[in-house]
């Protein structure tokens, strides 16, 4: 935990006391940004002080401090300030921290300007339509940029979004289907349309050398269903998935990281012996390179 007692901050958020919240922000200090495999990206709404206080203990590779969906309109400003309060108080954390702003044409630009000076990994920009949106964010920050692919314009023009500061794509399947006027009932592990959407997304992202992250499974109590989606999205080329509970993170971490020990053994043996055979698998240069990528 970051604070021993959060009762005062919970009261500040309840009363939308922005003045008192601003007084809790400490002078920004440089803290090295952690880098992870991005197996699990956990959404934490920035107005939920109880959840913010646990971000250093949560089993996620990426903590997504959310200012957008999940934050009521009347809590947007206090959420932005509380994100700054916690960012200013963290001394060390072994997770990536990403700020999910509101759309740039709403309050996103102001949020970037306000939070830019603190130590964290990246800004995630929602409702991206074109490379101009990425350029607009780029002009405001030196941080890494990530993009939510949830509009039909972004999805069908993914190759146009290449930018030197853009490192990660998150697919927003629910918003994308809404834009395409396709019912959410098509979201089934056996539906070839979903396979097409996800595989095209991940392949194009990897062509651009951008990390593809799969969508959030909203049925958060159905861990067996979540496991099936993790396995499918991994097989369709995703690097990890979005999560909304710590239990989902634990499942995602296991599934998206389960090849690592075997890969390490393959790499070490190949580098020592050269080509070899194991359990009917002939390990030559291309196979070796694949496993080397897995261990990072």
């Amino acid at each position: 935990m970051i604070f021993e007692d959060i009762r005062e901050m919970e009261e500040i958020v309840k009363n939308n006391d922005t003045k008192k919240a601003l007084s809790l922000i400490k002078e920004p200090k440089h803290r090295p940004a952690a880098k992870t495999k991005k197996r699990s990206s956990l959404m934490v709404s920035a107005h939920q002080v109880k959840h913010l206080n646990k971000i250093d203990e949560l089993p996620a590779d990426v903590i997504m401090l959310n200012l957008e969906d999940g934050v009521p309109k009347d809590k947007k400003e206090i959420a932005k300030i509380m994100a700054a309060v916690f960012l200013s108080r963290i001394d060390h954390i072994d997770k990536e921290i990403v700020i999910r702003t509101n759309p740039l044409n709403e309050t996103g630009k102001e949020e970037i300007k306000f939070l830019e000076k603190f130590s964290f990994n990246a800004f995630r920009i929602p409702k991206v339509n074109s490379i101009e949106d990425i350029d607009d964010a780029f002009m405001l920050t030196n941080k890494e940029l990530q993009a939510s692919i949830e509009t039909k314009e972004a999805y069908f023009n993914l190759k146009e979004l290449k930018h030197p500061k853009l490192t990660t794509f998150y697919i927003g399947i629910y918003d994308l289907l809404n834009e395409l006027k396709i019912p959410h009932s098509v979201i089934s592990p056996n539906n070839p349309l979903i396979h097409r959407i996800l595989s095209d997304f991940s392949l194009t992202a990897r062509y651009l050398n951008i990390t593809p992250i799969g969508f959030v499974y909203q049925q958060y109590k159905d861990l067996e269903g979540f496991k099936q989606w993790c396995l499918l999205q991994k097989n369709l080329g995703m690097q990890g998935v979005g999560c909304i509970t710590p239990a989902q993170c634990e499942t995602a971490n296991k599934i998206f990281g389960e090849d690592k020990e075997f890969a390490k053994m393959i790499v070490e043996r190949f580098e020592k012996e050269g080509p070899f055979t194991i359990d009917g698998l002939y390990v030559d240069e291309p196979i070796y390179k694949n496993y080397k990528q897995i261990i990072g």
Side-chain angles (χ1 to χ4, degrees), residues 180-242:
L180 295 172
K181 296 182 172 55
I182 298 174
H184 292 179
S185 58
V186 303
I187 303 176
S188 164
N190 300 315
N191 191 322
L193 176 60
I194 292 299
H195 292 195
R196 169 70 182 273
I197 291 171
L198 296 177
S199 58
D200 283 359
F201 166 78
S202 68
L203 284 172
T204 305
R206 289 181 180 275
Y207 170 77
L208 296 172
N209 201 27
I210 290 175
T211 300
I213 303 296
F215 68 88
V216 172
Y217 183 60
Q218 301 283 66
Q219 305 297 324
Y220 64 92
K221 292 185 178 180
D222 178 15
L223 287 179
E224 187 56 40
F226 178 72
K227 179 180 178 180
Q228 290 180 20
W229 277 110
C230 284
L231 290 167
L232 175 63
Q233 294 195 78
K234 179 183 178 182
N235 287 336
L236 294 177
M238 301 299 179
Q239 183 84 11
V241 293

Side-chain angles (χ1 to χ4, degrees), residues 101-102 104 108-109 112-113 116 123-126 128 130-147 163 165-166:
T101 70
N102 284 283
L104 297 177
K109 290 183 179 180
I112 292 174
K113 292 175 185 177
E116 152 72 12
F123 285 108
R124 173 178 167 183
I125 312 302
V128 167
S130 67
I131 191 62
E132 284 75 24
D133 293 326
I134 304 302
D135 283 333
D136 286 348
F138 170 68
M139 296 299 291
L140 300 173
T141 179
N142 291 317
K143 294 284 195 299
E144 173 187 320
L145 296 175
Q146 304 181 357
H163 189 283
K165 279 286 186 177
L166 187 58

Side-chain angles (χ1 to χ4, degrees), residues 92-161:
H92 173 76
I93 191 167
D94 61 353
K95 309 168 195 313
E96 296 187 34
I97 297 181
V98 178
I99 307 291
R100 184 194 193 194
T101 70
N102 284 283
L104 297 177
N105 61 357
E106 294 178 14
T107 56
K109 290 183 179 180
E110 290 71 26
E111 290 157 1
I112 292 174
K113 292 175 185 177
F114 182 77
L115 294 166
E116 152 72 12
K117 60 189 175 183
F118 298 98
S119 290
F120 58 95
N121 293 74
F123 285 108
R124 173 178 167 183
I125 312 302
K127 305 297 188 291
V128 167
N129 286 309
S130 67
I131 191 62
E132 284 75 24
D133 293 326
I134 304 302
D135 283 333
D136 286 348
F138 170 68
M139 296 299 291
L140 300 173
T141 179
N142 291 317
K143 294 284 195 299
E144 173 187 320
L145 296 175
Q146 304 181 357
S148 296
I149 307 304
E150 50 198 339
T151 68
K152 57 187 178 183
E153 289 80 10
Y155 180 80
F156 287 103
N157 295 284
L158 211 54
K159 286 183 180 178
E160 306 302 317
L161 297 183

Side-chain angles (χ1 to χ4, degrees), residues 46-64:
H47 70 299
Q48 297 283 2
V49 176
K50 180 173 68 174
H51 298 156
L52 285 174
N53 203 39
K54 297 178 181 177
I55 61 176
D56 58 338
E57 301 175 348
L58 293 169
D61 280 354
V62 179
I63 300 294
M64 187 70 58

Side-chain angles (χ1 to χ4, degrees), residues 247-265:
Q248 284 188 338
C249 290
E250 291 169 356
T251 298
N253 290 344
K254 181 178 180 182
I255 290 173
F256 285 92
E258 64 185 3
D259 297 333
K260 201 165 184 178
E261 286 304 313
F262 182 73
K264 186 178 178 183
M265 180 273 294

